[in-house]
Amino acid sequence: MLPSSTVENYLKAIYVGETHLVGGQKLVPMGQLASALGIAPGTATTMVKALAESGLVTYEPYNGVRLTPAGEKLAARVLRRHRLIELFLVQVMGMNWDEVHEDAEQMEHVVSDRLIERMDEMLGRPEFDPHGDPIPTPDGQLAHRALETLLTCPLNTPVTVARVTDQDAAFLRFIESHHLKPGETIQVEERDEASDSVKLKGRDDQRMTIGARAASKLLVST
Amino acid sequence: MLPSSTVENYLKAIYVGETHLVGGQKLVPMGQLASALGIAPGTATTMVKALAESGLVTYEPYNGVRLTPAGEKLAARVLRRHRLIELFLVQVMGMNWDEVHEDAEQMEHVVSDRLIERMDEMLGRPEFDPHGDPIPTPDGQLAHRALETLLTCPLNTPVTVARVTDQDAAFLRFIESHHLKPGETIQVEERDEASDSVKLKGRDDQRMTIGARAASKLLVST
DNA sequence: GCCACGGTTTTGAGTCATCAAAATAATAAA
DNA sequence: TTTATTATTTTGATGACTCAAAACCGTGGC
């Protein structure tokens, strides 16, 4: 039984949901899953029970859901495809990084392994996609770097933007126009709790202030 | 209402079915449609009635189905996408022409207009795909050439292979290995009704004999 | 002109994925 | 502890799409 696009999307959402979980708890709650997929909560429950039936997830009623090794393998495969496709569309086809998400979202379910392999080859076996998200290897391994957000990194120290953890097109365009894409070097000059904002010095010493919410989505390496 | 992949496939099948019709009759019979789509005849009937309901086709019970202008526009769009994708996969990604059909079949329904436009641009607004099939323009026009099959073209006269009207991977590999791809120059030396075969002289004066059924799928320009 | 046969349509049913809304469980508040 | 709030699960239904098999044309053969 090859998984349907729907199943692949559930697994992917659970996978990334797990990474967003704080602390030792490992179960993704149904509500979070449902809203991540844009479906009604009841639908998520029904579907997750079916996934548990086929051994892809572990389901604890009223607590949440977790991937089994089999489910994790499939999820990593989908994520790998998604990120390779995004990088391909940007790197090879010259599309903007804020307009490739939807295409990747669709293509990840349908293109052949051969085509994915060809993309991987043309891109030189990349480890990160245009947003700095790590690309799982064919066997599901994720490269992981120790990164900090702009809310936690040291002040007045040059840091390199490594990853942007938001796919929203408007946000991505903002990042791009302010030269905050992965690879850029910046410094955090000041954080202000009261105004919920962060002051930055960017390329050409350009000053800018961004909200804490946005700052938390920019990951940097020191 | 954007059409589902299923609807797009029905329209595409009717579209190419129409071109395969001989003479003045213009209706694609249900049986042909069903077998082209690999579905049960009853399913085709049900679906075609729904398509007629939404104004995409004209349906005459027991006679067949024909596209309306609206349906034809949609069908041409899908075919354009399919053929651009195939050409892109071969030309840009270096895939073999016998292995791109399935990917194109899936991608044609999901990739964005922007991505298609980008492919078209990268390919230099091509008129024909790797099989020599014409690529409809954005407004649905088809370039058409006066072509003959190897069964009807003049004998002992150099002709250029222009189109291969079969997507079967094994057949395409045969064509390729015998240097009969679109663009190659060949000559028909002899036709034998009795043995149902055609004798050819190909590249480097190499002689070969192919069956009439295969010969009818090779279109040439004189 | 009748009948048989191939193609077509109907019928009845099933799968997958979804929703809204009612019922229920867990949790936080009073 | 009892209640109120919020999250989750059930229930009942729907919309696409599909099949198998029974019923139904329509035409060619005799």
Side-chain angles (χ1 to χ4, degrees), chain A residues 31 49 59 62:
Chain A
K49 283 200 287 192
Y59 171 52
Y62 292 101

Side-chain angles (χ1 to χ4, degrees), chain B residues 30-31 45 49 59 62:
Chain B
M30 288 297 134
T45 299
K49 284 201 287 191
Y59 170 52
Y62 291 102

Side-chain angles (χ1 to χ4, degrees), chain B residues 59-134:
Chain B
Y59 170 52
E60 291 179 20
Y62 291 102
N63 285 320
V65 63
R66 174 197 5 246
L67 293 174
T68 62
E72 191 169 327
K73 190 174 164 209
L74 272 176
R77 175 174 181 272
V78 178
L79 211 58
R80 169 178 167 77
R81 300 172 140 250
H82 181 98
R83 291 180 176 165
L84 275 175
I85 292 165
E86 278 198 343
L87 189 60
F88 179 86
L89 294 180
V90 168
Q91 213 77 65
V92 178
M93 304 210 54
M95 300 185 75
N96 299 323
W97 76 328
D98 61 293
E99 61 184 22
V100 297
H101 183 70
E102 269 315 307
D103 274 307
E105 199 69 24
Q106 296 297 129
M107 287 174 65
E108 66 187 9
H109 306 296
V110 303
V111 305
S112 64
D113 286 341
R114 196 156 33 200
L115 183 45
I116 290 293
E117 160 61 19
R118 193 72 194 90
M119 288 183 182
D120 191 34
E121 191 182 331
M122 288 176 79
L123 292 167
R125 317 287 175 196
E127 287 192 54
F128 303 97
D129 80 0
H131 310 96
D133 299 327

